[in-house]
């Protein structure tokens, strides 16, 4: 059983930074794909960034150059460093893990004020 817990959300002014963390417990075994999705009010959940066990990162075009996904050596915690935040980044951010099936965290609110 995999459990994911996000932290680090909050309120920030446009141009500011936040760092989200996702702590995983259970059967991770340093394999699989880890990532972040977000869902803004009235919109569908969308991919923000993913990183594989090999360290390959993938980003949505809207966050390239501003957000960085990383993970710790043990492989059971990953992060999303968000810089130069914009009001369009306001959403609930969910961490995600998938190997044979997908798992979601409970979400953390990020609000960017303009």
């Amino acid at each position: 059983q995999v459990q994911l817990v996000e932290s680090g959300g909050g309120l920030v002014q446009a141009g500011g930074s936040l760092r989200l963390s996702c702590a995983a417990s259970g059967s991770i075994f340093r394999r699989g794909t880890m990532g972040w999705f977000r869902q803004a009010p009235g919109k569908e959940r969308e991919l923000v960034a993913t990183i594989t066990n090999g360290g390959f990162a993938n980003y949505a075009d809207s966050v390239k150059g501003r957000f960085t996904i990383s993970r710790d050596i043990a492989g059971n915690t990953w992060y999303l460093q968000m810089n130069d935040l914009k009001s369009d980044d306001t959403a609930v951010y969910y961490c995600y893990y998938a190997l044979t099936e997908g798992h979601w965290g409970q979400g953390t609110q990020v609000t960017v004020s303009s």
Side-chain angles (χ1 to χ4, degrees), residues 11-17 83-89 111-114:
L11 174 64
V12 64
Q13 289 188 330
S17 299
N83 298 329
D84 189 24
L85 283 159
K86 308 176 186 301
S87 57
D88 287 347
D89 296 319
T111 302
V112 183
S113 63
S114 56

Side-chain angles (χ1 to χ4, degrees), residues 30 71-77 79:
R30 289 186 288 179
R71 60 192 180 96
D72 68 359
I73 295 175
N76 58 357
T77 304
Y79 310 93

Side-chain angles (χ1 to χ4, degrees), residues 12-87:
V12 64
Q13 289 188 330
S17 299
L18 282 175
R19 188 193 196 205
L20 305 183
S21 300
C22 181
S25 60
S27 304
I28 298 295
F29 302 123
R30 289 186 288 179
R31 296 183 295 164
T33 297
M34 304 157 186
W36 293 92
F37 286 68
R38 67 186 181 187
Q39 188 166 18
K43 296 187 177 181
E44 294 185 353
R45 192 172 296 189
E46 63 176 5
L47 180 145
V48 177
T50 59
I51 187 166
T52 67
N53 60 304
F56 178 79
N58 179 57
Y59 297 93
D61 287 343
S62 59
V63 306
K64 282 180 181 177
R66 301 188 297 122
F67 290 11
T68 303
I69 188 171
S70 62
R71 60 192 180 96
D72 68 359
I73 295 175
N76 58 357
T77 304
W78 54 102
Y79 310 93
L80 186 69
Q81 177 66 42
M82 305 185 292
N83 298 329
D84 189 24
L85 283 159
K86 308 176 186 301
S87 57

